[in-house]
Amino acid sequence: QVQLVESGGGLVQAGGSLRLSCAASGSTFSINAMGWYRQAPGKQRELVATISSGGSANYADSVKDRFSISRDNAKKTAYLQMNSLKPEDTAVYYCNAAIATSWWKNPDNYWGQGTQVTVSS
């Protein structure tokens, strides 16, 4: 009933930029917090950034000052602007959202399928 679809990943050289998008669809009665996570080969999935429904953002230390998370509630979409990319940013980036599918339900966490970000050099 709920789907999160990431887009915007790709190959970029070190120092470049990418903008990821995460669009929610389906039975999204309300969307609370949204966030971005990433998982590099051989490593655990880690938090990159989160944003509350009111726009309050938090970032991992490794991306602070380089990445920016935002959201468009009308479009049910979260974004991750990634600047000054480094090879160590290479990972599959996953969107996460806390979504209530009905007014009488508590929100559950949903995950997107992931989008690959590869930073060369």
Side-chain angles (χ1 to χ4, degrees):
Q1 298 188 66
V2 172
Q3 187 176 23
L4 297 177
V5 179
E6 301 101 331
S7 61
L11 175 64
V12 65
Q13 294 185 12
S17 299
L18 285 173
R19 187 180 188 237
L20 306 183
S21 298
C22 170
S25 62
S27 301
T28 56
F29 176 79
S30 65
I31 303 176
N32 300 99
M34 303 185 77
W36 289 94
Y37 295 72
R38 67 186 182 187
Q39 187 167 22
K43 299 182 66 177
Q44 297 294 309
R45 186 175 299 186
E46 65 175 351
L47 173 70
V48 176
T50 61
I51 184 168
S52 71
S53 60
S56 179
N58 294 98
Y59 301 92
D61 289 341
S62 59
V63 306
K64 193 173 183 179
D65 300 325
R66 298 189 297 120
F67 291 9
S68 179
I69 188 171
S70 61
R71 64 190 289 169
D72 185 332
N73 291 332
K75 296 179 64 176
K76 300 180 180 180
T77 301
Y79 306 93
L80 185 67
Q81 179 67 48
M82 305 184 294
N83 299 322
S84 302
L85 283 163
K86 305 174 181 179
E88 50 263 44
D89 294 319
T90 296
V92 177
Y93 283 70
Y94 297 91
C95 178
N96 172 266
I99 299 173
T101 57
S102 301
W103 68 266
W104 49 271
K105 286 186 173 182
N106 289 324
D108 291 322
N109 285 332
Y110 293 86
W111 292 92
Q113 82 288 348
T115 185
Q116 177 70 49
V117 172
T118 302
V119 184
S120 64
S121 295

